[in-house]
């Protein structure tokens, strides 16, 4: 089974600075999808960014970008110009391209943004 | 923007009791999911549901669990006889069926289940 590991239970960043959240995964599949979800306090998880494994180009969504290293099975999230509203729990998730369409999640990283 | 909603936000029950957790998926979505997160642990997949039947389920989803879509809008998770270890946050999710990969799962805010 696929496993997703987030080794940083908590991170903090100064407002306007940049922070990188780490995620590694284990799979024997050659193609798959990777996601970062954000969960603000008492709110639902929302998708931040996604990446198809066959695409070499790293995905970017405004201030959010990923560093996808397929050989290393690493999928880190970089948040630039951090804002107070970025404070949340961030989950990395894996999804197979075929068969089961459920998500495999990491344990999450709680991000604090310091004013 | 449409959202997945879940009720109640917090459910407290006695061990051995039955509970029903409710979800209203986004209206034009066709795939539905339940996940759970025990405090301090990973979010884990329980079950997926499509076309009025279970399409996938995990090892966690044993005979004590059941799902149904009773009225075309609600999607429910029933736990027949709750155990202490069922205490967790339960998340519902839905997605619009798409042939492409870009079909995001949209999550509800969760129901915190506490079994005493």
């Amino acid at each position: 089974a696929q496993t997703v590991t987030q080794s940083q239970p908590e991170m903090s960043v100064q407002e306007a600075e940049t922070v990188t959240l780490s995620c590694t995964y284990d799979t024997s599949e050659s193609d798959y999808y990777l996601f970062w979800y954000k969960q603000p306090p008492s709110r639902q998880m929302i998708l931040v960014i996604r990446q198809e494994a066959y695409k070499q180009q790293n995905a970017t969504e405004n201030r959010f970008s990923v560093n996808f290293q397929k050989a290393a099975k690493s999928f880190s999230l970089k948040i630039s110009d951090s804002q107070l509203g970025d404070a949340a729990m961030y989950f990395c998730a894996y999804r197979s391209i075929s068969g089961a369409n459920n998500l495999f999640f990491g344990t999450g990283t709680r991000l604090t943004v310091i004013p | 923007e449409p959202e997945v909603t879940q009720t109640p936000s917090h459910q407290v029950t006695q061990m051995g009791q039955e509970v029903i957790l409710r979800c209203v998926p986004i209206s034009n979505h066709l795939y539905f999911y339940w996940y759970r997160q025990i405090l301090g642990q990973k979010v884990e997949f329980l079950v997926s549901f499509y076309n009025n039947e279970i399409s996938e389920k995990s090892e966690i989803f044993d005979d004590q669990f059941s799902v149904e879509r009773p009225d075309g809008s609600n999607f429910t998770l029933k736990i027949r006889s709750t155990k202490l270890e069922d205490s967790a946050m339960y998340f519902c999710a839905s997605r619009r069926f798409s042939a492409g990969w870009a079909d995001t799962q949209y999550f509800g805010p969760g129901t915190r289940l506490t079994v005493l």
Side-chain angles (χ1 to χ4, degrees), chain A residues 51-102:
Chain A
Q51 175 87 37
E52 288 172 300
Y54 72 82
K55 287 188 178 178
Q56 293 187 337
Q57 187 173 8
N58 289 322
T60 298
E61 289 285 342
N62 301 314
R63 298 182 294 108
F64 298 87
S65 61
V66 299
N67 183 7
F68 173 50
Q69 301 288 329
K70 190 172 183 180
K73 296 179 182 173
S74 170
F75 182 62
S76 60
L77 174 69
K78 185 171 84 170
I79 306 174
S80 304
D81 185 25
S82 297
Q83 300 174 359
L84 295 178
D86 295 333
M89 182 72 92
Y90 286 80
F91 293 99
C92 177
Y94 172 105
R95 192 187 123 201
S96 177
I97 200 167
S98 61
N101 50 43
N102 53 289

Short mmCIF file of all heavy atoms in Angstrom, two decimals, chain A residues 51-102:
data_model
loop_
_atom_site.label_atom_id
_atom_site.label_comp_id
_atom_site.label_asym_id
_atom_site.label_seq_id
_atom_site.Cartn_x
_atom_site.Cartn_y
_atom_site.Cartn_z
N GLN A 51 -0.44 17.76 -8.57
CA GLN A 51 0.63 17.45 -9.52
C GLN A 51 0.39 16.06 -10.10
O GLN A 51 0.09 15.12 -9.36
CB GLN A 51 1.98 17.47 -8.79
CG GLN A 51 3.17 17.04 -9.60
CD GLN A 51 3.80 18.18 -10.38
OE1 GLN A 51 3.87 19.31 -9.93
NE2 GLN A 51 4.27 17.88 -11.57
N GLU A 52 0.51 15.96 -11.42
CA GLU A 52 0.49 14.64 -12.06
C GLU A 52 1.93 14.15 -12.12
O GLU A 52 2.83 14.90 -12.53
CB GLU A 52 -0.04 14.75 -13.48
CG GLU A 52 -1.52 15.02 -13.55
CD GLU A 52 -1.93 15.30 -14.98
OE1 GLU A 52 -1.44 16.27 -15.58
OE2 GLU A 52 -2.76 14.53 -15.50
N ALA A 53 2.15 12.90 -11.79
CA ALA A 53 3.51 12.39 -11.70
C ALA A 53 4.22 12.39 -13.05
O ALA A 53 5.45 12.49 -13.10
CB ALA A 53 3.51 10.99 -11.11
N TYR A 54 3.48 12.26 -14.15
CA TYR A 54 4.16 12.20 -15.46
C TYR A 54 4.61 13.58 -15.93
O TYR A 54 5.38 13.69 -16.88
CB TYR A 54 3.27 11.54 -16.50
CG TYR A 54 2.09 12.35 -16.97
CD1 TYR A 54 2.24 13.32 -17.96
CD2 TYR A 54 0.82 12.14 -16.44
CE1 TYR A 54 1.16 14.06 -18.40
CE2 TYR A 54 -0.26 12.87 -16.89
CZ TYR A 54 -0.09 13.83 -17.87
OH TYR A 54 -1.16 14.55 -18.31
N LYS A 55 4.15 14.62 -15.27
CA LYS A 55 4.57 15.97 -15.66
C LYS A 55 5.84 16.34 -14.92
O LYS A 55 5.89 16.31 -13.69
CB LYS A 55 3.47 16.98 -15.33
CG LYS A 55 2.26 16.91 -16.25
CD LYS A 55 1.32 18.05 -15.97
CE LYS A 55 0.15 18.01 -16.93
NZ LYS A 55 -0.83 19.07 -16.67
N GLN A 56 6.86 16.70 -15.66
CA GLN A 56 8.11 17.08 -15.02
C GLN A 56 8.06 18.49 -14.44
O GLN A 56 8.75 18.80 -13.48
CB GLN A 56 9.26 16.96 -16.02
CG GLN A 56 9.54 15.52 -16.42
CD GLN A 56 10.78 15.41 -17.28
OE1 GLN A 56 11.18 16.37 -17.93
NE2 GLN A 56 11.38 14.24 -17.31
N GLN A 57 7.24 19.32 -15.05
CA GLN A 57 7.16 20.70 -14.58
C GLN A 57 6.44 20.77 -13.25
O GLN A 57 5.38 20.17 -13.06
CB GLN A 57 6.41 21.55 -15.61
CG GLN A 57 6.41 23.03 -15.31
CD GLN A 57 5.80 23.84 -16.43
OE1 GLN A 57 5.25 23.29 -17.37
NE2 GLN A 57 5.89 25.15 -16.32
N ASN A 58 7.02 21.51 -12.32
CA ASN A 58 6.41 21.67 -11.01
C ASN A 58 5.17 22.55 -11.09
O ASN A 58 5.18 23.59 -11.75
CB ASN A 58 7.42 22.30 -10.04
CG ASN A 58 8.52 21.35 -9.68
OD1 ASN A 58 8.29 20.15 -9.51
ND2 ASN A 58 9.72 21.86 -9.55
N ALA A 59 4.13 22.13 -10.39
CA ALA A 59 2.89 22.91 -10.39
C ALA A 59 3.07 24.19 -9.57
O ALA A 59 3.83 24.22 -8.58
CB ALA A 59 1.76 22.07 -9.81
N THR A 60 2.36 25.22 -9.99
CA THR A 60 2.38 26.51 -9.30
C THR A 60 0.97 27.08 -9.29
O THR A 60 0.26 27.02 -10.29
CB THR A 60 3.31 27.51 -10.02
OG1 THR A 60 4.63 26.99 -10.02
CG2 THR A 60 3.30 28.85 -9.31
N GLU A 61 0.58 27.59 -8.13
CA GLU A 61 -0.71 28.27 -7.97
C GLU A 61 -0.47 29.52 -7.15
O GLU A 61 -0.45 29.48 -5.93
CB GLU A 61 -1.74 27.37 -7.26
CG GLU A 61 -2.25 26.22 -8.06
CD GLU A 61 -3.24 26.62 -9.14
OE1 GLU A 61 -3.79 27.73 -9.06
OE2 GLU A 61 -3.45 25.80 -10.05
N ASN A 62 -0.28 30.62 -7.84
CA ASN A 62 -0.05 31.91 -7.16
C ASN A 62 1.16 31.80 -6.22
O ASN A 62 2.28 31.55 -6.66
CB ASN A 62 -1.31 32.37 -6.44
CG ASN A 62 -2.48 32.52 -7.38
OD1 ASN A 62 -2.34 33.10 -8.45
ND2 ASN A 62 -3.62 31.96 -7.01
N ARG A 63 0.97 31.96 -4.91
CA ARG A 63 2.08 31.94 -3.96
C ARG A 63 2.51 30.53 -3.58
O ARG A 63 3.47 30.36 -2.81
CB ARG A 63 1.68 32.70 -2.70
CG ARG A 63 1.38 34.18 -2.92
CD ARG A 63 1.04 34.88 -1.60
NE ARG A 63 -0.20 34.38 -1.02
CZ ARG A 63 -0.23 33.60 0.06
NH1 ARG A 63 0.87 33.24 0.68
NH2 ARG A 63 -1.40 33.18 0.54
N PHE A 64 1.79 29.53 -4.08
CA PHE A 64 2.07 28.15 -3.72
C PHE A 64 2.74 27.44 -4.89
O PHE A 64 2.27 27.54 -6.03
CB PHE A 64 0.77 27.43 -3.36
CG PHE A 64 0.05 28.01 -2.17
CD1 PHE A 64 -0.85 29.05 -2.32
CD2 PHE A 64 0.28 27.52 -0.91
CE1 PHE A 64 -1.51 29.59 -1.23
CE2 PHE A 64 -0.37 28.04 0.20
CZ PHE A 64 -1.27 29.08 0.04
N SER A 65 3.79 26.73 -4.60
CA SER A 65 4.46 25.94 -5.63
C SER A 65 4.97 24.66 -5.00
O SER A 65 5.10 24.55 -3.78
CB SER A 65 5.60 26.73 -6.26
OG SER A 65 6.58 27.06 -5.29
N VAL A 66 5.24 23.69 -5.86
CA VAL A 66 5.76 22.43 -5.35
C VAL A 66 7.13 22.16 -5.95
O VAL A 66 7.48 22.67 -7.01
CB VAL A 66 4.81 21.25 -5.65
CG1 VAL A 66 3.45 21.46 -4.99
CG2 VAL A 66 4.67 21.01 -7.14
N ASN A 67 7.88 21.35 -5.22
CA ASN A 67 9.13 20.81 -5.73
C ASN A 67 8.93 19.29 -5.79
O ASN A 67 9.00 18.61 -4.76
CB ASN A 67 10.30 21.18 -4.83
CG ASN A 67 11.62 20.69 -5.38
OD1 ASN A 67 11.69 20.17 -6.50
ND2 ASN A 67 12.68 20.84 -4.61
N PHE A 68 8.65 18.81 -6.98
CA PHE A 68 8.34 17.40 -7.18
C PHE A 68 9.60 16.71 -7.68
O PHE A 68 10.12 17.02 -8.76
CB PHE A 68 7.21 17.26 -8.20
CG PHE A 68 6.92 15.85 -8.62
CD1 PHE A 68 6.74 14.86 -7.68
CD2 PHE A 68 6.80 15.53 -9.96
CE1 PHE A 68 6.46 13.56 -8.06
CE2 PHE A 68 6.52 14.23 -10.36
CZ PHE A 68 6.35 13.24 -9.41
N GLN A 69 10.09 15.78 -6.87
CA GLN A 69 11.28 15.00 -7.22
C GLN A 69 10.84 13.54 -7.30
O GLN A 69 10.79 12.84 -6.29
CB GLN A 69 12.36 15.19 -6.15
CG GLN A 69 12.81 16.61 -5.94
CD GLN A 69 13.65 17.12 -7.09
OE1 GLN A 69 14.36 16.35 -7.73
NE2 GLN A 69 13.54 18.41 -7.38
N LYS A 70 10.54 13.09 -8.52
CA LYS A 70 9.94 11.78 -8.67
C LYS A 70 10.89 10.66 -8.25
O LYS A 70 10.47 9.71 -7.57
CB LYS A 70 9.51 11.55 -10.13
CG LYS A 70 8.66 10.31 -10.33
CD LYS A 70 8.11 10.23 -11.72
CE LYS A 70 7.19 9.01 -11.89
NZ LYS A 70 6.64 8.91 -13.25
N ALA A 71 12.14 10.77 -8.61
CA ALA A 71 13.09 9.70 -8.26
C ALA A 71 13.25 9.59 -6.75
O ALA A 71 13.37 8.49 -6.21
CB ALA A 71 14.43 9.96 -8.92
N ALA A 72 13.23 10.71 -6.10
CA ALA A 72 13.38 10.73 -4.64
C ALA A 72 12.04 10.52 -3.93
O ALA A 72 12.00 10.42 -2.71
CB ALA A 72 14.00 12.05 -4.20
N LYS A 73 10.95 10.49 -4.68
CA LYS A 73 9.59 10.36 -4.13
C LYS A 73 9.36 11.44 -3.08
O LYS A 73 8.95 11.16 -1.93
CB LYS A 73 9.36 8.96 -3.58
CG LYS A 73 9.42 7.91 -4.69
CD LYS A 73 9.21 6.49 -4.17
CE LYS A 73 9.33 5.52 -5.35
NZ LYS A 73 9.31 4.11 -4.92
N SER A 74 9.61 12.66 -3.52
CA SER A 74 9.47 13.81 -2.63
C SER A 74 8.56 14.84 -3.29
O SER A 74 8.64 15.06 -4.50
CB SER A 74 10.86 14.40 -2.38
OG SER A 74 10.78 15.64 -1.72
N PHE A 75 7.74 15.48 -2.48
CA PHE A 75 6.74 16.41 -3.00
C PHE A 75 6.56 17.52 -1.97
O PHE A 75 5.65 17.49 -1.15
CB PHE A 75 5.43 15.65 -3.23
CG PHE A 75 4.31 16.47 -3.81
CD1 PHE A 75 4.42 17.07 -5.06
CD2 PHE A 75 3.10 16.61 -3.13
CE1 PHE A 75 3.38 17.81 -5.60
CE2 PHE A 75 2.05 17.35 -3.67
CZ PHE A 75 2.20 17.95 -4.91
N SER A 76 7.43 18.51 -1.98
CA SER A 76 7.37 19.56 -0.96
C SER A 76 6.56 20.74 -1.46
O SER A 76 6.47 20.99 -2.67
CB SER A 76 8.78 20.00 -0.56
OG SER A 76 9.47 20.50 -1.69
N LEU A 77 5.99 21.46 -0.53
CA LEU A 77 5.15 22.63 -0.81
C LEU A 77 5.87 23.87 -0.34
O LEU A 77 6.27 23.95 0.82
CB LEU A 77 3.80 22.51 -0.09
CG LEU A 77 2.88 23.73 -0.19
CD1 LEU A 77 2.35 23.90 -1.61
CD2 LEU A 77 1.72 23.61 0.80
N LYS A 78 6.01 24.83 -1.23
CA LYS A 78 6.61 26.11 -0.86
C LYS A 78 5.53 27.18 -0.87
O LYS A 78 4.80 27.33 -1.85
CB LYS A 78 7.73 26.49 -1.83
CG LYS A 78 8.48 27.75 -1.42
CD LYS A 78 9.73 28.01 -2.26
CE LYS A 78 9.43 28.71 -3.53
NZ LYS A 78 10.66 29.15 -4.22
N ILE A 79 5.47 27.90 0.25
CA ILE A 79 4.54 29.03 0.34
C ILE A 79 5.38 30.30 0.40
O ILE A 79 6.18 30.48 1.33
CB ILE A 79 3.65 28.92 1.60
CG1 ILE A 79 2.95 27.56 1.64
CG2 ILE A 79 2.63 30.05 1.63
CD1 ILE A 79 2.17 27.30 2.92
N SER A 80 5.20 31.14 -0.58
CA SER A 80 5.93 32.40 -0.64
C SER A 80 5.09 33.53 -0.08
O SER A 80 3.85 33.47 -0.12
CB SER A 80 6.31 32.71 -2.09
OG SER A 80 7.05 31.65 -2.66
N ASP A 81 5.76 34.56 0.43
CA ASP A 81 5.05 35.75 0.94
C ASP A 81 3.91 35.31 1.87
O ASP A 81 2.74 35.64 1.67
CB ASP A 81 4.50 36.56 -0.23
CG ASP A 81 3.85 37.86 0.18
OD1 ASP A 81 4.22 38.38 1.26
OD2 ASP A 81 2.96 38.34 -0.54
N SER A 82 4.26 34.56 2.90
CA SER A 82 3.25 33.97 3.79
C SER A 82 2.32 35.03 4.37
O SER A 82 2.75 36.13 4.76
CB SER A 82 3.94 33.22 4.93
OG SER A 82 4.71 32.16 4.43
N GLN A 83 1.06 34.66 4.45
CA GLN A 83 0.04 35.55 5.00
C GLN A 83 -0.61 34.89 6.21
O GLN A 83 -0.56 33.68 6.37
CB GLN A 83 -1.01 35.84 3.92
CG GLN A 83 -0.43 36.52 2.69
CD GLN A 83 -1.43 36.69 1.58
OE1 GLN A 83 -2.59 36.30 1.68
NE2 GLN A 83 -0.98 37.29 0.48
N LEU A 84 -1.23 35.73 7.05
CA LEU A 84 -1.85 35.21 8.27
C LEU A 84 -2.90 34.14 7.93
O LEU A 84 -3.09 33.17 8.67
CB LEU A 84 -2.48 36.34 9.07
CG LEU A 84 -1.51 37.37 9.64
CD1 LEU A 84 -2.26 38.47 10.38
CD2 LEU A 84 -0.49 36.72 10.57
N GLY A 85 -3.55 34.31 6.81
CA GLY A 85 -4.58 33.36 6.40
C GLY A 85 -4.03 32.02 5.94
O GLY A 85 -4.79 31.08 5.70
N ASP A 86 -2.71 31.92 5.83
CA ASP A 86 -2.11 30.63 5.46
C ASP A 86 -1.99 29.70 6.66
O ASP A 86 -1.69 28.52 6.50
CB ASP A 86 -0.71 30.85 4.86
CG ASP A 86 -0.74 31.61 3.55
OD1 ASP A 86 -1.77 31.54 2.84
OD2 ASP A 86 0.27 32.27 3.23
N ALA A 87 -2.21 30.22 7.85
CA ALA A 87 -2.12 29.38 9.05
C ALA A 87 -3.19 28.29 9.00
O ALA A 87 -4.38 28.57 8.85
CB ALA A 87 -2.32 30.22 10.29
N ALA A 88 -2.74 27.05 9.06
CA ALA A 88 -3.65 25.92 8.90
C ALA A 88 -2.86 24.63 9.09
O ALA A 88 -1.64 24.64 9.24
CB ALA A 88 -4.28 25.92 7.50
N MET A 89 -3.60 23.52 9.04
CA MET A 89 -2.97 22.20 8.93
C MET A 89 -2.86 21.89 7.44
O MET A 89 -3.84 22.07 6.70
CB MET A 89 -3.83 21.17 9.65
CG MET A 89 -3.25 19.78 9.65
SD MET A 89 -1.82 19.67 10.74
CE MET A 89 -2.63 19.15 12.25
N TYR A 90 -1.70 21.44 7.02
CA TYR A 90 -1.48 21.10 5.62
C TYR A 90 -1.26 19.59 5.49
O TYR A 90 -0.41 19.02 6.18
CB TYR A 90 -0.28 21.86 5.05
CG TYR A 90 -0.58 23.31 4.81
CD1 TYR A 90 -0.55 24.22 5.86
CD2 TYR A 90 -0.95 23.77 3.55
CE1 TYR A 90 -0.86 25.56 5.66
CE2 TYR A 90 -1.25 25.11 3.33
CZ TYR A 90 -1.21 25.99 4.39
OH TYR A 90 -1.51 27.32 4.18
N PHE A 91 -2.03 18.99 4.60
CA PHE A 91 -1.94 17.55 4.37
C PHE A 91 -1.44 17.28 2.96
O PHE A 91 -1.94 17.85 1.98
CB PHE A 91 -3.31 16.88 4.52
CG PHE A 91 -3.86 16.90 5.91
CD1 PHE A 91 -4.80 17.86 6.29
CD2 PHE A 91 -3.45 15.97 6.85
CE1 PHE A 91 -5.32 17.87 7.58
CE2 PHE A 91 -3.97 15.98 8.14
CZ PHE A 91 -4.90 16.94 8.50
N CYS A 92 -0.49 16.39 2.87
CA CYS A 92 -0.02 15.88 1.60
C CYS A 92 -0.81 14.59 1.31
O CYS A 92 -1.10 13.82 2.24
CB CYS A 92 1.48 15.58 1.71
SG CYS A 92 2.25 14.86 0.27
N ALA A 93 -1.17 14.37 0.06
CA ALA A 93 -1.99 13.20 -0.26
C ALA A 93 -1.58 12.62 -1.60
O ALA A 93 -1.14 13.34 -2.51
CB ALA A 93 -3.47 13.55 -0.26
N TYR A 94 -1.78 11.32 -1.71
CA TYR A 94 -1.42 10.54 -2.90
C TYR A 94 -2.68 9.86 -3.42
O TYR A 94 -3.51 9.39 -2.64
CB TYR A 94 -0.39 9.48 -2.50
CG TYR A 94 -0.04 8.46 -3.57
CD1 TYR A 94 1.17 8.55 -4.25
CD2 TYR A 94 -0.89 7.40 -3.88
CE1 TYR A 94 1.51 7.62 -5.21
CE2 TYR A 94 -0.56 6.47 -4.84
CZ TYR A 94 0.63 6.58 -5.51
OH TYR A 94 0.96 5.66 -6.47
N ARG A 95 -2.78 9.79 -4.74
CA ARG A 95 -3.89 9.05 -5.31
C ARG A 95 -3.40 8.26 -6.51
O ARG A 95 -2.68 8.79 -7.36
CB ARG A 95 -5.01 10.00 -5.74
CG ARG A 95 -6.31 9.29 -6.07
CD ARG A 95 -7.33 10.25 -6.65
NE ARG A 95 -7.75 9.77 -7.96
CZ ARG A 95 -8.30 10.53 -8.89
NH1 ARG A 95 -8.48 11.81 -8.68
NH2 ARG A 95 -8.67 10.02 -10.04
N SER A 96 -3.77 7.00 -6.58
CA SER A 96 -3.41 6.18 -7.72
C SER A 96 -4.13 6.66 -8.96
O SER A 96 -5.22 7.22 -8.89
CB SER A 96 -3.80 4.73 -7.41
OG SER A 96 -3.53 3.91 -8.51
N ILE A 97 -3.51 6.42 -10.12
CA ILE A 97 -4.13 6.86 -11.37
C ILE A 97 -5.19 5.88 -11.84
O ILE A 97 -6.03 6.20 -12.66
CB ILE A 97 -3.05 7.07 -12.46
CG1 ILE A 97 -3.58 7.97 -13.59
CG2 ILE A 97 -2.56 5.73 -13.00
CD1 ILE A 97 -2.50 8.44 -14.51
N SER A 98 -5.19 4.70 -11.30
CA SER A 98 -6.18 3.70 -11.71
C SER A 98 -6.61 2.93 -10.48
O SER A 98 -6.02 3.05 -9.41
CB SER A 98 -5.58 2.76 -12.75
OG SER A 98 -4.47 2.08 -12.20
N GLY A 99 -7.65 2.15 -10.67
CA GLY A 99 -8.13 1.35 -9.54
C GLY A 99 -8.75 2.23 -8.47
O GLY A 99 -9.57 3.08 -8.77
N ALA A 100 -8.35 2.02 -7.25
CA ALA A 100 -8.91 2.77 -6.13
C ALA A 100 -8.70 4.26 -6.34
O ALA A 100 -7.63 4.71 -6.72
CB ALA A 100 -8.27 2.34 -4.81
N ASN A 101 -9.73 5.04 -6.10
CA ASN A 101 -9.60 6.48 -6.31
C ASN A 101 -9.60 7.25 -5.00
O ASN A 101 -9.81 8.45 -4.96
CB ASN A 101 -10.71 7.00 -7.24
CG ASN A 101 -12.08 6.52 -6.80
OD1 ASN A 101 -12.41 6.53 -5.62
ND2 ASN A 101 -12.88 6.09 -7.75
N ASN A 102 -9.34 6.54 -3.92
CA ASN A 102 -9.27 7.22 -2.63
C ASN A 102 -7.90 7.86 -2.45
O ASN A 102 -6.94 7.54 -3.15
CB ASN A 102 -9.53 6.24 -1.50
CG ASN A 102 -8.63 5.03 -1.58
OD1 ASN A 102 -8.78 4.19 -2.44
ND2 ASN A 102 -7.66 4.94 -0.67
#
